[in-house]
Amino acid sequence: MRPLERFIDELPGITEGASDRLLQYLCVVQNRYSHVSSTAVQLLSERLHIPPVQILAVVDFYTFLHRQPRGDFDIRFSDNITDRMLGSGPLFKRMCENLKVKPGQPRADERVSVDLTSCTGICDQGPALLVNGLVISRLNQERVDKMVGLIEAGTPVSDWPESFFLVEDNIQRQDKLLSREFVSGDALETLVLKGNDDLLGWLHDSDLRGRGGAGFKTATKWRMCRDAPADKRYVVCNADEGEPGTFKDRVLLSSYADCIFEGMTLCAGIVGAKQGFIYLRGEYLYLRTALEQTLQKRRDANRLGNNILGQQGFDFDIEIHLGAGAYICGEESALIESLEGKRGIPRNRPPFPVTSGYRNFPTVVNNVETFVAAARIAALGADWFRSSGTKVSSGTKLLSVSGDCARPGIYEYPYGVSVRQVLEDCGASDAQAVQVSGAAGATIPAREFDRKIAFEDIPTGGSFMIFNQQRDLLEMVQNFTRFFSHESCGFCTPCRVGGALMQDLVEKVMVGHATRYDLQEMKNIGQVMQETAHCGLGVTAPNSVLDTLDKFPDIYSKRLVNRSFEPAFDLDASLEVSRRITGRDDEGAHIRHEK
Ligand SMILES: Cc1cc2nc3c(=O)[nH]c(=O)nc-3n(C[C@H](O)[C@H](O)[C@H](O)COP(=O)(O)O)c2cc1C
Ligand code: SF4
C-alpha cells in the first residue's frame, strides 16, 4: 500500500458515514503532507463517499488548506493592525529577504514559505506569527534572525527554543469570573440537587446575555432548544475568536477550560444533549493537547461520559473540532456547516440553530465566556451575578486590550465601565480613538470616551484596540477593509463585490487619487452592504469606513486629489434616471427581492 493511502486508511473513524469529519481529516493530511494532493482528494472521496469536487471546494474555502505544497516551514505573519503597529511589516520584509522567498510562494527548494494571515489573537504579545500552525509571540529582529538560522539549518520546529512559543495569559484585572477559584463539579452538583427548571430559572434571573457579540439572552436560547421537538440535541462552544483584536477566549481556553466544559455540560443537562463540540480556531492549535487532557480528567472524574455524577441517563461528551482559518466560521450557522465538514457558508435564518442546527437538530451555540458565566451562576447564584453591571447589562465583561497602551492584556470589568476608565487603567494617556468590538465594531473618538461598555451603549464581543494621537486611522481602515475583503465567503454579491470595491476605494484615498465623489461612493456601497448582505459579516464590514467618514472626516479630506472638487456627477439624479429605466423604486429593495 502507498504511504498516503495507508495514512488515510489509518485516520480514526474514516468510513462512509464520517463525512462530517472531512475538514478534520483534511487538516491532518495538510499537516502531514503540507498540502492536500489530488490523490488525497481521490482517496478521501472514495472512503467518505463525497464527490471530489465537493472536497476541492472545501480545500479552496479554508485559508490553512492548500492544493499545492507549502514549505516544510510554513510561516504566516499575523496581519492585524495591532501587529502592524508593533512593527510586523519590517519584520515580515526582513524574513522574506533573508530567506529569499517571495511572499505567498514556497521557495524553489520547498523548504519554506512566508505569508500573511488574519489576526492570530496574540495582539497583547505581538507581533506574532504561526509556524506550521504554532504561535510564536513577541517577534523582534533578533527572533526573526534566529528563526532564519533554524530554518536554513533544517532544525525541526519541535527543537526550536521553548521561549519562542510562550503565550502568557496576561490578566491585568480580575473581577467576578476570573478572581474566584472554580471548583470543578460545583455547577453540576447544583443542577443535580435543584433540577433543570430551577437552574434555568436562575439563569433567567441572572439576565445573562451572550458574550459573543449579539447579546441574546442565554436562558431563552437554552429553553428554546430544550423545548424544540427532536430526538437529539447538541451543544456547541464557539471558540473561533476570529474578530481582530479579540483574545479573551484564548485566555479562558488556556486557564479556565474546566469551567468552560462545566458550563457546556450544565447546558447539556438542561437541554438534554448527549454530544457537544468545541469549535477551536485553527490559530489556537497549540491549546489542543491541554484541552484534550482537561476533557480526559473530567471523564475520569465522571463529569463527562455516561451517567454523569451517578445520574442515570445524564450522558454527555465533548469533541474538539479544529477550524482552518476562516473568520466567517465564527458566525453560528457557518460554524455549524463547518462542523458538518462543509464550507462555512452562513445558512438562511430562520430556522435558527436552536431549532435546526447541527445535522438539523436543535443546537445551542454559545461563546466561550458565556459558558464560563453560566457555570459560575449555577454555582454561585443569580443574585451574585446580577449584583454587578447595569440594569440592562448584568455581570462583567472580559476585554482584550491592545494597541497604544502601557499594559495590554485581559481586563474584566462590571458592565457600565467607561472607555475612559479602561484607558486610564491600561496606561493609555494619549488615545485618539478606540476601536471597540474589532474590525466589525465601532470607532470611538476621544469626545466619546465617557460612553459605557454595555449592551445599551457600546456593546462588544471584547476587542478594545487603542490608537494614539500619532496614528493614522486610515491605516486601520485599510487593514480592516482588506481583512473583510479576504474573509468574505463570497456567497452574496453585496459583500463579495461591495467589500472589494470598498477596499479599492480606501486604497485610492490612501495613495491620494480619490475625489469627493469616491467618498460618497463609499457611503453608498456601505449602505447597500448594511441593508442587503446575507449575514453579519457583510452587514458590519463597512462599519469602520462609515464611522471614520463621519467622525474623522479629515483623514479622508486631507488626501483628496483636488479638495475643492465637487462631483460633477449628481448621484440622486442618476439614480432617478436608473429608476425610470428599470421601473424599480429602490435598488436596495430590488436586491432584497433577489435574495
Ligand atoms: C462574521 C461573524 C463572526 C463571528 N465570530 C464569533 C466568534 O468568533 N465567537 C463567538 O462567540 N461569536 C461569534 N459570532 C457570533 C455568533 O454568530 C453567535 O451569535 C454567538 O456564538 C452566540 O453565542 P453567545 O450567545 O454566547 O454570544 C460571529 C458572528 C459573525 C456574524
Ligand atoms: S455577507 Fe459576506 S460572509 Fe456573509 S454570506 Fe454574504 S458573502 Fe458570505
Side-chain angles (χ1 to χ4, degrees):
M1 206 188 279
R2 286 166 295 157
L4 174 63
E5 191 165 357
R6 192 175 322 121
F7 183 80
I8 286 183
D9 282 337
E10 285 172 2
L11 290 171
I14 185 146
T15 58
E16 186 182 335
S19 58
D20 279 12
R21 303 200 53 76
L22 173 64
L23 177 58
Q24 303 310 290
Y25 292 143
L26 289 170
C27 289
V28 177
V29 171
Q30 166 79 41
N31 193 27
R32 171 72 179 74
Y33 292 96
S34 92
H35 72 302
V36 182
S37 63
S38 46
T39 317
V41 170
Q42 193 55 43
L43 289 166
L44 285 167
S45 162
E46 286 163 14
R47 303 305 183 268
L48 297 170
H49 290 228
I50 303 175
V53 67
Q54 205 172 312
I55 299 183
L56 288 172
V58 173
V59 174
D60 291 345
F61 184 84
Y62 292 94
T63 305
F64 292 174
L65 301 178
H66 300 275
R67 295 201 209 187
Q68 300 303 322
R70 305 284 287 181
D72 299 336
F73 297 90
D74 185 16
I75 291 167
R76 294 161 197 269
F77 275 70
S78 179
D79 196 27
N80 188 25
I81 183 66
T82 51
D83 293 286
R84 294 244 169 186
M85 285 155 66
L86 290 165
S88 65
L91 296 173
F92 177 78
K93 197 161 169 255
R94 186 179 182 93
M95 184 169 276
C96 289
E97 281 171 6
N98 290 356
L99 287 168
K100 300 189 177 55
V101 282
K102 284 198 182 137
Q105 289 177 23
R107 205 166 68 178
D109 63 1
E110 291 190 358
R111 174 167 282 182
V112 59
S113 46
V114 183
D115 209 342
L116 296 173
T117 191
S118 298
C119 178
T120 53
I122 316 287
C123 322
D124 57 330
Q125 293 157 66
L129 59 72
L130 301 174
V131 55
N132 295 353
L134 300 175
V135 170
I136 295 191
S137 60
R138 300 187 194 282
L139 287 173
N140 52 27
Q141 277 192 17
E142 193 195 342
R143 199 159 269 197
V144 164
D145 292 347
K146 274 195 184 155
M147 284 180 65
V148 170
L150 290 163
I151 290 166
E152 294 298 15
T155 310
V157 172
S158 53
D159 292 343
W160 289 18
E162 266 180 39
S163 58
F164 282 21
F165 301 94
L166 192 69
V167 179
E168 287 160 299
D169 278 357
N170 210 0
I171 298 173
Q172 301 283 347
R173 188 184 195 281
Q174 297 182 320
D175 209 292
K176 276 208 146 86
L177 291 191
L178 302 184
S179 62
R180 290 182 79 116
E181 201 199 331
F182 169 69
V183 182
S184 193
D186 261 10
L188 295 186
E189 272 161 24
T190 317
L191 175 69
V192 169
L193 204 69
K194 300 277 180 194
N196 293 356
D197 285 337
D198 272 12
L199 255 290
L200 205 48
W202 286 20
L203 218 55
H204 176 265
D205 295 344
S206 75
D207 264 347
L208 173 64
R209 295 170 65 170
R211 274 24 185 176
F216 195 78
K217 289 218 167 160
T218 307
T220 310
K221 188 182 272 189
W222 292 16
R223 179 170 285 119
M224 286 166 85
C225 181
R226 186 188 70 170
D227 295 347
D231 302 339
K232 287 183 187 169
R233 291 176 183 78
Y234 294 93
V235 174
V236 177
C237 175
N238 188 342
D240 198 47
E241 191 157 67
E243 191 60 57
T246 319
F247 47 88
K248 48 107 189 166
D249 291 344
R250 178 197 89 208
V251 175
L252 294 175
L253 291 158
S254 151
S255 296
Y256 295 78
D258 200 25
C259 190
I260 302 167
F261 296 144
E262 182 111 349
M264 291 177 71
T265 314
L266 176 78
C267 176
I270 290 176
V271 306
K274 307 269 178 227
Q275 176 68 51
F277 297 98
I278 179 155
Y279 190 94
L280 183 69
R281 70 184 307 220
E283 291 81 348
Y284 292 169
L285 173 69
Y286 75 100
L287 294 171
R288 186 179 187 151
T289 308
L291 289 170
E292 293 283 11
Q293 285 164 354
T294 307
L295 286 173
Q296 192 51 49
K297 273 195 205 149
R298 288 187 68 85
R299 286 183 198 114
D300 296 344
N302 193 216
R303 291 189 198 111
L304 277 179
N306 291 336
N307 304 326
I308 291 171
L309 297 189
Q311 296 302 297
Q312 196 67 29
F314 186 0
D315 306 337
F316 181 65
D317 214 325
I318 297 170
E319 198 181 302
I320 299 174
H321 185 110
L322 207 60
Y327 165 66
I328 187 57
C329 289
E331 195 280 336
E332 58 186 6
S333 67
L335 183 153
I336 289 168
E337 289 285 295
S338 181
L339 268 184
E340 293 179 357
K342 301 180 212 154
R343 295 176 300 155
I345 307 277
R347 293 178 177 176
N348 284 329
R349 302 184 321 158
F352 291 94
V354 276
T355 54
S356 181
Y358 181 64
R359 296 179 174 172
N360 295 329
F361 288 105
T363 303
V364 167
V365 182
N366 272 133
N367 176 250
V368 174
E369 189 182 343
T370 313
F371 281 120
V372 169
R376 293 293 205 183
I377 291 164
L380 297 160
D383 291 343
W384 166 82
F385 190 75
R386 270 219 62 87
S387 65
S388 294
T390 70
K391 213 167 169 218
V392 178
S393 314
S394 66
T396 62
K397 183 77 194 86
L398 301 194
L399 298 180
S400 318
V401 175
S402 66
D404 294 315
C405 64
R407 292 173 295 281
I410 298 297
Y411 290 73
E412 183 188 7
Y413 285 103
Y415 270 114
V417 66
S418 68
V419 172
R420 190 178 304 285
Q421 182 67 55
V422 182
L423 291 171
E424 252 175 60
D425 291 351
C426 70
S429 52
D430 185 28
Q432 167 188 194
V434 180
Q435 182 71 17
V436 182
S437 245
T443 314
I444 310 293
R447 63 179 179 277
E448 295 180 18
F449 283 172
D450 287 320
R451 289 179 63 190
K452 314 276 185 224
I453 301 292
F455 290 108
E456 64 271 31
D457 191 354
I458 310 176
T460 175
S463 169
F464 193 99
M465 293 185 273
I466 302 162
F467 297 84
N468 70 21
Q469 299 288 345
Q470 285 70 53
R471 298 290 176 192
D472 179 357
L473 288 183
L474 201 61
E475 282 179 16
M476 172 194 84
V477 177
Q478 183 186 35
N479 183 272
F480 292 168
T481 47
R482 278 186 191 165
F483 166 79
F484 282 116
S485 186
H486 176 256
E487 296 293 342
S488 166
C489 83
F491 171 78
C492 70
T493 312
C495 171
R496 187 185 63 248
V497 178
L501 290 174
M502 198 68 112
Q503 182 190 346
D504 286 351
L505 286 166
V506 169
E507 305 210 336
K508 195 171 172 188
V509 178
M510 206 80 195
V511 295
H513 289 171
T515 64
R516 283 199 185 282
Y517 173 77
D518 293 307
L519 302 191
Q520 183 58 45
E521 194 65 354
M522 286 157 86
K523 287 184 189 167
N524 295 341
I525 292 169
Q527 198 184 337
V528 170
M529 290 174 77
Q530 286 181 330
E531 287 179 9
T532 62
H534 175 67
C535 85
L537 188 151
V539 170
T540 55
N543 284 358
S544 68
V545 175
L546 299 179
D547 252 12
T548 47
L549 275 168
D550 181 31
K551 295 174 183 172
F552 295 91
D554 288 357
I555 64 172
Y556 295 90
S557 55
K558 71 179 181 195
R559 287 181 160 93
L560 294 184
V561 71
N562 173 359
R563 287 184 222 172
S564 62
F565 175 86
E566 292 298 332
F569 176 77
D570 182 337
L571 186 75
D572 288 335
S574 141
L575 279 175
E576 183 53 36
V577 172
S578 145
R579 269 180 216 121
R580 274 192 224 133
I581 295 169
T582 60
R584 289 178 201 124
D585 277 355
D586 168 280
E587 285 299 296
H590 164 61
I591 297 170
R592 273 196 294 279
H593 284 143
E594 278 186 345
K595 276 170 55 192

